[in-house]
Amino acid sequence: WQDVVHEVIFEADTYWGKIFDVILLWAILLSVIAVMLESVQSLNEKYGDLLLYAEWIFTIFFTIEYLLRVYISDKPLKYIFSFYGMVDFLSIVPSYIGIFVLNTQYLKTIRVIRLMRVFRVLKLVRYSS
């Protein structure tokens, strides 16, 4: 199963790899939109709970994806300390810090770093017809 998951997560030139990358791209974009909408006070007052649920759904999804990448990687430490590994980690850690530390609203802006993950997904463009 590890070989199959590795192919899906790390290989953008396979059918399931492309599907995974498209899902990941949409998740990143929707996540960033949710963070932006949450920063608008009138929208946050009206849809704050929904945006919070969305934030946690995305955070859990990105956490699972990150942990799978670390676990499936041939060299986990190399991935963890790679550029994209650090981007992945930095994009999820603010949500978890917010559980233990009060008044961490400013950390939410760090989550926009998820946009950098789009560059990884954009590598799939060269494989699309």
Side-chain angles (χ1 to χ4, degrees), residues 5 18 21 23-24 31-32 36 39 44 50 57 70 75 78-79 86 88 92 94 102 109 116 126:
V5 174
K18 289 177 187 179
D21 284 344
I23 291 170
L24 184 61
S31 168
V32 170
M36 290 174 15
S39 70
N44 193 22
L50 179 64
I57 289 169
V70 170
K75 297 179 181 177
K78 185 176 179 181
Y79 172 74
M86 296 299 287
D88 290 348
I92 59 175
L102 297 176
T109 58
M116 294 181 74
R126 65 181 158 191

Side-chain angles (χ1 to χ4, degrees), residues 41-93:
Q41 186 175 357
S42 61
L43 293 175
N44 193 22
E45 289 172 1
K46 191 171 184 178
Y47 303 106
D49 289 340
L50 179 64
L51 293 171
L52 181 64
Y53 293 137
E55 172 188 334
W56 277 105
I57 289 169
F58 290 124
T59 298
I60 291 167
F61 173 77
F62 294 135
T63 301
I64 292 169
E65 183 235 354
Y66 175 74
L67 293 174
L68 278 173
R69 285 183 185 273
V70 170
Y71 183 72
I72 297 298
S73 180
D74 295 333
K75 297 179 181 177
L77 285 177
K78 185 176 179 181
Y79 172 74
I80 290 170
F81 293 106
S82 71
F83 174 76
Y84 287 120
M86 296 299 287
V87 166
D88 290 348
F89 179 76
L90 290 174
S91 71
I92 59 175
V93 78

